[in-house]
Amino acid sequence: TTGEIRTTVVLDREALRNDRYDLVVLSSQPTYPIEVRIQVVDVNDNSPEFPEPSISVSFSESAAAGTRLLLDAATDADIGPNGVSDDYRIVAGNRDDKFRLVVTENPSGEITYLHLETTGKLDRETCAFYQLNVSARDGGSPPRYGYLQVNVTILDVNDNPPIFDHSDYTVSLNESVPPGTPVLQVMATDSDVGDNAKITYYLADNQRQFAVDPETGDISTTEPLDCPQQNCPQPLQARPGGGCPKSCVFTVFARDHGSPRQDGRTYVTVNLVDANDHDPVIKFRYFPSTAGFATVDENAVNGSVVAAVSVVDLDEGPNGDTTVEIRAGNELGHFRLDYTPSFDIVRVHGVLDREEINRYNLTIVATDEGTPPRTATAFLIIHVNDVNDHEPVFEKSEYSAVLSELAPPGTYVAGIKATDEDTGVNAQIYYAFVSGNEHQWFEIDANSGLITTRAALDREVQDTVELRISARDGGPNPKWAYTQLKVTVLDENDERPRFSQERINVSLPESTPPNTLVAMLTAADHDQGTNGSVTYALQSHPDAFALDALTGQLTTRARLDREAVAAYEIRVLARDQGVPPQSATATVFLTVQDVNDNAPEFYPQLYVSTVADSLPAGTSLLRVTARDADEGDNAALRYALESGADDLFHVDQRTGVVSLRGRLAASTKSLYKLRISARDRGDRKAPQDAEVELIKESQAQELEFESFGGYEFQVTEDHDSSAPSLGREVGRVRVRTAASAPAGAEPVRYSLVYGDPQHSFRLDERTGVLSTAARVDREQTALYSLTVVARVGLAYGRAVANISVLDENDNAPAFARDRDEVELPENAAVGQEVYLARARDRDAGVNSRVTYSLSYNPDEQFRIAEATGVIYLNRPVRAEPGTALSVEVTATDSGTPPLSARHVVLVTVADVNDHTPVFDHTSYETSLLESTSVNSRFFALAASDTDMGANGLVQYAITEGDADGKFGVFPDGFLYVRSALDREDRDYYSLVVTARDHGDPARSSVVPVVIHVIDENDNAPEFTNATFSFYINENEPPDSFVGKLTATDRDIGRNAELSFSLASSQKDFAIDPKNGFIKTLHVFDREALVHSTGQSYVVLEATVTDNGATRLRDKVKVYVYVTDVNDNPPKFLRTPYRVQISEGATVGTQIFRVFTTDADEGLNGDVFYSLVGGNEAGRFAVDEATGQLTVARPLDRETAAHYELTVAAQDAGQSRRLSATATISVAILDENDNAPEFTQTESSISVTETTPVNTQLVQFRARDADLGVNSEVTFSIAAGNRRDTFHVDPVSGALFLHKSLDYEELNSYTLNITASDGGNPRLATTVLFTVHVEDSNDNPPAFPNTAIVRQIREGIPVNTPIVTVTAEDPDSGANARVTYAITRQEPEDGHFGINPHTGVIHTLLPIDREAVDTFRLMLIEPGVYRRATAPRIV
């Protein structure tokens, strides 16, 4: 009645399908339906819940800070603020705060992610497991919490190296222990787990003396030990082995099996307890340290240090303590040994003299104090150094030589030799000139002392040369010696006379009378005797001068006339009396000085000219000229106007120029006649004054000659051989007006005024006839051009008459010289030009045309070309070179009668180099001792050349066979020794000597010269080796051949006959003295020899001696090695062998090393290993050289857990091989290398959702082929176990239902079932197993709304659909198939029906509101499972 709605039960929102109730409330009268929705508000009555209460996760300990792992977030059935919040916390178990929680949201905001994150570096070794309690808080008030246990496992990372229990180990061993001897065991641990903690031991690759067991760490030796000295105290460092401990220090490594692998290391020091197994070793220290042998100066005082002897014995204690002694070579006691803690010093202990003993060989023996003692022998060679205590000594105190001054350069003068008793550089002699060689005529070889000429000699400069020569040794403070060489130079006519002046200038006045001295010529010739006797001869002007042949006085023969000859060039010849004679020429230049003996002379003498009336005063009119045959001041003239000047004219007294002095216009005269005189400075006056006629131009008349172009005349010259024909008319000149002149008029006068200075012609002044007035010589003047003047009153005319002089044959041809000398090669060819004869004829025309002929030509040797004058060779030259052939040439002109001249030509036959030098023998052969001193001349060669002069001058040279420069040849052909000979280097020389002349080109010939060098015993025999090494097999019988000593002696003959011997103190071997064969005296056992002496060889000293007059010898060390015979088989050490190896060992892993010893050596002691049994599968391999057993193929304990291997050790003997075998027992240790395997085949089951909790659903089974914990299998659900629905027993593998199933919530589970073994690391196998949940009808259908209100109209047709209702069933299949039915209607008249399949409600009866206005229908799903969930429809 109140309308209040109240709850009838406790509401649980989480149990509702929706958060609300939908109700229909009907009012009464009138009935009216009211829809009411009741929203159930959430109350925080549910705590947050994680999908599983506990989970297991893992982190690697190498995970970086910030590494995250996704966790399932918590859920809360409440909603809104009461739902789960983001407030997650680690409330317990977070040791050291290594973790934190991080919440992130999906960008959509629908999902929240929860992460477990590391906050820092994890360390499994510090904490391997964390149990974290994680809380989730909701937002209610008060809040509620849910919890999750997170089990965190820290996974191991290989971050810890193995660590040895000791940082270093120290152990002592006897140094002679055999290979395979145990040393010690090392141990290392690793803080990691699993493979990361599994350790393998190993050594460095270069460690050969020790081995380590990779599994156990046991160290053993692998070969005889040889360790260096360590940390030797300072006082003992000088003597190695003298108490210093010997130890081997090596590194042992431990490596884990992690990735990456880590190594640890420790140091093992093995101190060796000494055994006397080393011989002392002797070493010498020389001074200076770079020297290769000991030296001592011969003047060293007592106590001087020679060498230091150090002994190294690698043993320790008494075994390494040694004593040193000089056992041999010091018989004279010249040396002693002084002991010091570090070494022994060899000192001088007597007076040394290198010249007595220059080399010592001391036998030094060092003996240790071991038992038995061991010794060593060494030889100290001491060379006694020369001290420069001897001066060089010349063989002679004075030397002399005689040479021709024509000796060519290189001529032998002397061989100077000095000796020095010192040696080495102190005995090396160097020669030099000290004085006397100022002209540099000589040179000396500084090393050999050979003196030869260096340049041409000149006796005239110096006829005796005294050379002072020094010899200096090569010592640091050199010593000197001196000698003198006197060289006498013989005269040769090699110098021509030499004038004191070759050009003499002399001046004489021309008034000098005959026999006046012109000059005194003197020529000197410094040759001796007739070679230096000089005579003089005049070669020019013999008619004017005379020369005294003995005194050289030059005088005049006649009076001199400067005007005729002003200067003379007089050539004078000076000739000595040598053969052939030498000559020289001097020239006297004589200048004739002028004397004033000639008066001036006018030419022209008459001058005629016209003068213009209007000329001003000072005008020059003409010039008169006079000449004076004298010169200089004597020819300086003064002119003077003697008459006719009328004060109108003036003559320059110096130049003779006539000039106006006044004006002619003022004068009434028309013609002026001037007379001018000329005087020289001697006041000599010209015999005729010059006449000058000057005509006023206004009054002058012109005369014309009949020939307007002048006159041409000819005249024949006067013959030189006859008197001149004077007065011969040449021609006539006439003026035109002369013939028409009136009677009684003044006649025309003709004058010759110019062109005939010699007055050869005369002109008749009245007739004009031109005639000869003196000798006419065409050769002097061939053409005259005469100027002729005609005058009459004031009339004046001028003409030129040219007179050609016609030739007369009055000159014979003339040669330039009376005689000529020419040379003609002796091999000149017929027809060759010899000489060109040239003659000149002063005549002209045919008179001067010259032809040539030979007027003297013995044997028709020559011919001449008539026109050209060329002389040709007509016949071959038969005369000897140097012969003078005389031929006379005649030159004839073509005149009538012809004239001729003769000329003598001396043709000297010149030598041609057409002969080759010829040796007097076709070959030469000689011999000389190899000791022949340097510079000694030993053989003379001779070659001749029939040519002359330089062509016949022969020089010699060695051109082949002397590459070593052992010989030389002097210019005279003498062979000499140039450098020291040594027959042992070369006993035969085949030289080729060339003789070459000085012609151009030179000709030469060669000759072989064979030189045999004769032997002297100057070489000691020498063994062919510095030491000999022979080998003999052990166990050979006595008298077995050991080897042959060989020695050589560079000498020959008996000097090279050798004999051998051994030291008499040894008893092991004998030697044949002739052939050097060494044989044994007893049987040798190599192993016994090594045991007794520590070495497998015997040392002998052998001597070889030659058979020379003075016997020479050599010594050598002979090492006889007793070679091994394979008579000892290998022996295994430390047998039997038992080893273990993990089946997980990789291929190549070293397992174990077997050791053997073999007393033999070399190949006989080289042991090779092989597996001969138990290795059929090839799982193992053994190194044939080292015996190292390694894994060859992967091991599998499950296939084979044990191996019995047979290893064989066989030596490498060549004749036969010995062997031994041993057994190696190899146990294979299990590795967790097999994962568990499931045995069942089922992969799924079906379970109804109503199955009770704890029901066993299935049992899983798995097996593991490994052993022990590696095969213990545990089961777990690795994934897919939603809400911890299932549980598996870890031991039995049974799968149980842990929580109820709900098909509607999850109809299938896919589980990861894991079977894990107990190994480390664990191996696991996971299978997928599906659990299908079968549906049970445990869910009723449910309508979305429990109350539906609909309004309908009354009167609607029957079967009209009203509403469709639907119900949902979470079940599946038939359990979810829904049918519908109306269970109750109000009123119950059945107005409505429902389709059972579709849920459509429809009318069955008509609707009448007035009858019924409200209908109530109750619907239900009539399935198997029924609940009161039907809706009410009103």
Side-chain angles (χ1 to χ4, degrees), residues 851-867:
T851 58
Y852 300 92
S853 62
L854 298 179
S855 54
Y856 182 75
N857 184 19
D859 299 327
E860 298 297 323
Q861 185 73 54
F862 304 97
R863 62 183 176 85
I864 191 169
E866 183 180 73

Side-chain angles (χ1 to χ4, degrees), residues 514-536:
N515 298 320
T516 297
L517 177 65
V518 177
M520 179 65 73
L521 291 99
T522 57
D525 190 325
H526 296 96
D527 291 326
Q528 289 181 323
T530 57
N531 294 334
S533 178
V534 180
T535 60
Y536 304 92

Side-chain angles (χ1 to χ4, degrees), residues 697-874:
E697 191 176 77
S698 61
Q699 303 295 322
Q701 298 176 2
E702 183 180 0
L703 292 178
E704 294 182 358
F705 282 87
E706 292 178 340
S707 177
F708 290 104
Y711 296 90
E712 299 290 338
F713 303 118
Q714 289 183 338
V715 65
T716 302
E717 68 171 331
D718 291 309
H719 201 287
D720 286 345
S721 61
S722 60
S725 176
L726 305 179
R728 289 182 293 153
E729 185 177 341
V730 177
R732 183 178 182 181
V733 297
R734 294 179 65 183
V735 297
R736 291 180 180 276
T737 59
S740 59
E746 185 178 353
V748 177
R749 289 185 295 115
Y750 297 94
S751 300
L752 182 60
V753 298
Y754 192 74
D756 185 21
Q758 302 299 327
H759 305 291
S760 298
F761 300 95
R762 184 176 64 84
L763 180 64
D764 190 292
E765 68 175 356
R766 294 194 176 275
T767 63
V769 173
L770 189 63
S771 60
T772 59
R775 178 181 292 277
V776 177
D777 190 353
R778 189 203 64 80
E779 287 70 37
Q780 292 294 327
T781 306
L783 177 65
Y784 292 87
S785 183
L786 308 180
T787 302
V788 179
V789 175
R791 288 180 296 109
V792 57
L794 297 178
Y796 167 78
R798 187 184 294 272
V800 175
N802 293 321
I803 302 174
S804 298
V805 182
L806 301 179
D807 184 57
E808 281 284 336
N809 190 23
D810 58 349
N811 289 281
F815 289 95
R817 292 177 295 277
D818 293 339
R819 58 189 292 149
D820 264 329
E821 295 182 3
V822 296
E823 285 190 347
L824 179 66
E826 62 175 320
N827 63 345
V830 173
Q832 178 176 323
E833 291 186 10
V834 178
Y835 180 76
L836 175 61
R838 295 301 298 269
R840 182 184 176 193
D841 195 316
R842 300 176 63 196
D843 294 325
V846 295
N847 294 331
S848 65
R849 189 177 304 129
V850 178
T851 58
Y852 300 92
S853 62
L854 298 179
S855 54
Y856 182 75
N857 184 19
D859 299 327
E860 298 297 323
Q861 185 73 54
F862 304 97
R863 62 183 176 85
I864 191 169
E866 183 180 73
T868 62
V870 176
I871 299 177
Y872 298 94
L873 183 65
N874 192 44

Side-chain angles (χ1 to χ4, degrees), residues 175-176 225 246 274-279 314-315 319 374 1094:
E175 65 175 342
S176 61
L225 298 181
K246 288 187 288 185
D274 185 61
N276 192 23
D277 54 351
H278 293 89
D279 287 333
L314 298 179
D315 296 319
N319 297 332
R374 301 175 75 100

Side-chain angles (χ1 to χ4, degrees), residues 469-596:
I469 301 167
S470 69
R472 171 182 61 86
D473 62 29
N477 296 310
K479 294 183 178 296
W480 303 77
Y482 300 93
T483 189
Q484 187 166 309
L485 169 63
K486 184 176 182 180
V487 181
T488 300
V489 182
L490 301 180
D491 183 58
E492 297 285 349
N493 190 26
D494 61 337
E495 183 171 328
R496 62 185 179 87
R498 188 179 301 276
F499 282 97
S500 57
Q501 289 181 277
E502 292 186 354
R503 296 171 61 92
I504 302 175
N505 295 312
V506 178
S507 297
L508 287 177
E510 59 182 328
S511 60
T512 300
N515 298 320
T516 297
L517 177 65
V518 177
M520 179 65 73
L521 291 99
T522 57
D525 190 325
H526 296 96
D527 291 326
Q528 289 181 323
T530 57
N531 294 334
S533 178
V534 180
T535 60
Y536 304 92
L538 193 61
Q539 290 193 306
S540 63
H541 306 292
D543 53 344
F545 301 96
L547 179 67
D548 191 294
L550 296 178
T551 65
Q553 180 175 310
L554 179 65
T555 59
T556 59
R557 285 184 181 272
R559 188 180 184 88
L560 303 178
D561 185 358
R562 189 202 65 79
E563 288 71 29
V565 180
Y568 292 90
E569 188 175 316
I570 308 168
R571 289 185 289 112
V572 177
L573 179 70
R575 179 184 285 113
D576 63 24
Q577 307 305 307
V579 179
Q582 301 258 20
S583 63
T585 301
T587 303
V588 178
F589 295 92
L590 173 61
T591 301
V592 181
Q593 296 174 336
D594 185 54
V595 173
N596 195 10

Side-chain angles (χ1 to χ4, degrees), residues 228-290:
Q229 294 173 344
Q230 305 285 347
N231 302 321
C232 187
Q234 188 67 28
L236 298 176
Q237 286 183 359
R239 296 178 64 90
C244 290
K246 288 187 288 185
S247 59
C248 290
V249 179
F250 57 93
T251 305
V252 181
F253 298 91
R255 174 175 292 174
D256 60 28
H257 289 202
S259 178
R261 296 194 173 191
Q262 299 228 40
D263 288 341
R265 68 178 65 191
T266 187
Y267 298 98
V268 177
T269 300
V270 179
N271 293 321
L272 299 187
V273 178
D274 185 61
N276 192 23
D277 54 351
H278 293 89
D279 287 333
V281 176
I282 300 174
K283 294 182 179 179
F284 298 119
R285 181 180 177 185
Y286 308 116
F287 305 100
S289 58
T290 56

